[in-house]
Each structure stands twice: as structure tokens, then as C-alpha cells.
Amino acid sequence: MGLRQGLLAAGACAALLALSAWPAAARDLVIHAGRLIDGTGKAVRTEVSIVVHDDRIVSVESGYATPAGAEVIDLSGSTVLPGLIDDHIHITQSFHKGDPIHTAMTRTSFDDEIDATVNARNTLMAGFTSARDVGSQTGVIVALKRAINAGVIPGPRLWVAGTPLGPTGGHGDEANGLDPELEHPGWTSNLIDSPETARKTVRRLRREGVDLIKIMPSGGVMSIGDDPALQLMEDDEIKAVIETAHSLGMKVAAHAHGKQAIDHTISLGVDSIEHGTYADAESYKLFKARGTYLVPTMLVGSKVYEHAKTHPEDLNPSTAQKAMTVVPYMLKNLHNAYEAGVKIAFGTDTFGMSNHGENAQEFALLVGAGMPAMEAIKAATWNAADLIGDTNDVGSVQPGRFADIIAVTGDPLQDVRVLEKVQFVMKGGVVYKSGGQAVAR
Ligand SMILES: [Zn+2]
């Protein structure tokens, strides 16, 4: 029994009055930031004070101020940034060496949930205080999100899609390549082969607690038997998903490699294209006309490519071949898309091929493809928050936002890889990492 319940149970009126007079302990903090990259793309500021009350930023002031009663956090020797945001992760998934079909047949969603708690912690400790999960079993990811929000386990703020929707035989159909007589209830709940099933499935996912919808209009690389270059969902199915999701206030992210799937899905009003491998100049025009984001997922591309060359036996049949074909285009596409002026949001497609917590390795790949470091950082701050639809809460160090703040040693504009070694992590005014070490709590 907690203190409040104990007092209430005692029925003491005086105690009850006193109880209502107890304010929650307010916390005032001030961060002295040597250099501030505020996440909006504006020029770096030096010697700045970030004033925090409870879980929100109150003000950002020039010079090192110390308001009365505020605890000072000295980051005057560091570069301070907003907490980073990864808009494409699968935080409940891990990569397991060995035969992937054996793994798929023996692991349960309970195993995933246990792994997810560790993955969530590693992601937060790497400075990613927010993330969009675009494909995890619905019940598992919704429970993880609830546990993080309740403070039961440490992890990033999550916006979750649950199980991605796709057609029978497409990317996301777990029965692909298996004995056709095998059945599992979890393998069919995400299959949509008509506008009617599309509408109903979107509404059901909303009821189950998701924040956005993920669709698979093209084939993929890690799956068996489907072709990444082809559009596998019909336009009327894609349209039904997007209209129903938007009517419920949810955004839609589309996994799409092939040009036709990309162009059609953008024209039908999708909010982001994930991967976008075979986009061309015509596609980029559509991206810009509709304001659609590209989430380029360079990190997964480079890791899958590497693995396909060295350990093809750890991948599904045909995946190594598909990776060799698709990935070189994926890496070129970002360069062309950025040059064409397409809006880019940061996403790594972390599912264990790159480890959870290594998300910041994407920055060097973005910069290598021709994005200036400040633009790569903005992709993981303001733009990533904009794609989520919540720039009022996350993605910048500005008054009113959550006090989600990180710091690194050195200058990420000179060497973006310093973001791979985040030294300080605050989420909602609570410090999780300081001096490169986890803070016990
Ligand atoms: Zn993915």
C-alpha cells in the first residue's frame, strides 16, 4: 500500500487536507551548453543556458545564467543537441545468426518482448530519445511503449505502427517460402487483398493502440520470394489504407523499392517512402509536389550488403542475391534525392543487422552521400519530428519542447561520427547518461 492509499484508508481528514497541499516536487534545472545545435538547422550558438522546469524546456538564453534554486548541469565543454530521432526502427526485433527459417519457427513474441526491453535501453543510451517503430508485432510493441511511458523501463518515446500491412505473397507475408499447409494466426492478420480488408485492418490496428500505419506496396530484400522492383499492392488497396488512416488521424509509411510502387503510393497521399531505392527524377518531382518524406535507411543497406557477401547462409534464400542487386541503387538514390531537394527524415531500419544503439552510424553514410552534416542532423531532429507529426514536443531545443537533450564531445559539424559516442542523455528532464556512463536509477 502506498503512502497516499494508507492515509486515505486511515480516513484522516486533516491528513487528507495536508495531502492536497503537497505540490509534486518541482525540478528546475539549467544546462550550460558550450555549443548548441538546436535541431532546426539554425547556426550554432555558443555559451547558452537551457532552462528546464520538470520535463519541459522553459527558455534558451545567451550566456551562462543560474536562476535561483536551479540545479546546474555543466556541459560548457560539449556540443549540446536535441535528443535524436530514428524514424525507422524495429525495436522488438533482433538478428540471429544461423538458419533464419529455424529462428522464425522457434522464437516467440515473448522472446521478442524480453529482447525489446534491452534494445529500448540501448537505443536511449545512444542518444535516441524518440523513435518511430515501423514494424513489430502489434501487441509486443504497444506493451513496450506503455512500459516506457509508465517509467517501468528506460527507452525512447515511441510512435508505433504495429504489424505492417501487405498483400498475400508480398513482403510481410511470413508464410512465403514455407510449406503451404503450415498455419499461424499471426501470419494472416496483416494480409490485405481488397480495399475492404484494408479498411478493417487499419481500424483494428487503431483499436489495438498503434500511432501510424505501415504498408508494403513493393517486395522487399529480407523476405523470401517477393520482388523488390514490383508493385505488389493494388492502387485501390493502398488508397483505402491511406484514406482510412488519415481519417483516424494517423500517418502512413510505405516500404517501397520499385519506381511504380513509389510513384503510385506518393500520388495516393502517403506520408513517407521508406528505402525508395529505384526512385528517379520523375519520382523526386512527385515527392516535392506532395511534400512526401524519403527515409533512406542507408545503414541497413550497407550492413545487409556486407552480410550478403560474407555470411549469405544467415539470410533467407534469395536475400543475398536481392541485396547485391538492390543495395547499390539504394545508396545512390539518397544522393540524387537530396540534390533534387526531396525532404529527408533520418531512419536506419535497425532490426539487429546493425545493433540497436548503433543508429548514429547512419550519419556518416548520409554525409558520405553528400548531405552537409547540419542537414544530416536536421534529418534526425526537426525533420524526423515533422514526419512523426510532433515538432511541438520533440526534435528541437526550444521553449515548450520536452527536455530531451544530448551532448557530445567535439564538433559533429566537423566530424559527424562524434554522434556515435553520445556522452550525455536527458529525456523529459531526467538524466540517463552523464560523462559517458549510465546513471543508476
Ligand atoms: Zn524496416
Side-chain angles (χ1 to χ4, degrees), residues 251-297:
K251 296 201 176 198
V252 180
H255 155 108
H257 291 287
K259 173 182 161 52
Q260 184 185 314
I262 293 167
D263 292 1
H264 284 213
T265 311
I266 294 174
S267 299
L268 292 165
V270 80
D271 300 283
S272 64
I273 295 289
E274 315 292 311
H275 320 305
T277 307
Y278 296 114
D280 65 7
E282 194 182 21
S283 316
Y284 302 143
K285 275 194 192 136
L286 284 170
F287 269 103
K288 286 164 67 183
R290 300 298 302 241
T292 315
Y293 271 101
L294 172 68
V295 182
T297 67

Side-chain angles (χ1 to χ4, degrees), residues 298 334 362-374 376-377 412-413 416:
M298 307 274 281
L334 170 66
E362 178 88 9
F363 284 110
L365 297 168
L366 297 177
V367 171
M371 283 178 80
M374 187 61 112
I377 290 168
L413 300 183
V416 82

Side-chain angles (χ1 to χ4, degrees), residues 88-90 134 214 255 275 349 351:
H88 190 130
I89 62 168
H90 305 274
V134 291
K214 168 85 174 295
H255 155 108
H275 320 305
D349 203 356
F351 62 87

Side-chain angles (χ1 to χ4, degrees), residues 5-257:
Q5 288 162 299
L7 290 171
L8 289 173
C13 285
L16 200 61
L17 281 173
L19 195 69
S20 63
W22 289 348
R27 271 187 88 223
D28 290 299
L29 302 169
V30 60
I31 295 172
H32 291 170
R35 297 162 52 79
L36 173 67
I37 295 172
D38 74 1
T40 66
K42 281 193 210 126
V44 179
R45 291 171 68 180
T46 54
E47 299 192 0
V48 170
S49 296
I50 304 162
V51 180
V52 173
H53 180 72
D54 289 343
D55 61 347
R56 297 267 177 178
I57 298 166
V58 177
S59 63
V60 182
E61 298 164 15
S62 296
Y64 293 144
T66 308
E71 179 190 333
V72 176
I73 296 177
D74 180 9
L75 297 172
S76 58
S78 305
T79 302
V80 173
L81 304 99
L84 302 169
I85 305 172
D86 189 334
D87 269 349
H88 190 130
I89 62 168
H90 305 274
I91 204 163
T92 69
Q93 295 180 23
S94 305
F95 182 72
H96 301 273
K97 288 203 165 76
D99 181 357
I101 294 177
H102 176 267
T103 303
M105 291 295 126
T106 51
R107 283 186 58 85
T108 70
S109 53
F110 305 106
D111 296 320
D112 291 345
E113 192 75 90
I114 301 288
D115 282 3
T117 63
V118 178
N119 298 341
R121 185 179 186 283
N122 290 342
T123 305
L124 177 65
M125 289 306 180
F128 286 80
T129 54
S130 292
R132 203 176 60 141
D133 189 288
V134 291
S136 283
Q137 203 178 322
T138 309
V140 176
I141 191 68
V142 170
L144 181 78
K145 180 184 158 175
R146 275 200 294 259
I148 292 170
N149 287 351
V152 177
I153 54 165
R157 302 178 196 283
L158 291 177
W159 283 261
V160 307
T163 311
L165 309 186
T168 297
H171 188 55
D173 184 346
E174 311 241 7
N176 279 358
L178 304 182
D179 177 349
E181 292 191 56
L182 282 173
E183 283 182 26
H184 185 297
W187 291 352
T188 50
S189 64
N190 64 328
L191 300 182
I192 50 169
D193 294 293
S194 69
E196 288 71 28
T197 51
R199 283 191 200 98
K200 178 151 191 183
T201 309
V202 170
R203 290 174 180 143
R204 177 177 53 73
L205 282 171
R206 181 64 184 167
R207 185 177 69 187
E208 290 173 10
V210 306
D211 306 293
L212 70 146
I213 297 293
K214 168 85 174 295
I215 52 172
M216 307 292 207
S218 87
V221 172
M222 297 300 287
S223 46
I224 308 172
D226 51 309
D227 186 338
L230 297 181
Q231 179 178 338
L232 301 178
M233 285 175 76
E234 297 293 327
D235 283 4
D236 63 352
E237 294 160 354
I238 298 169
K239 185 167 181 274
V241 169
I242 293 172
E243 283 180 358
T244 308
H246 284 177
S247 77
L248 293 167
M250 296 191 291
K251 296 201 176 198
V252 180
H255 155 108
H257 291 287

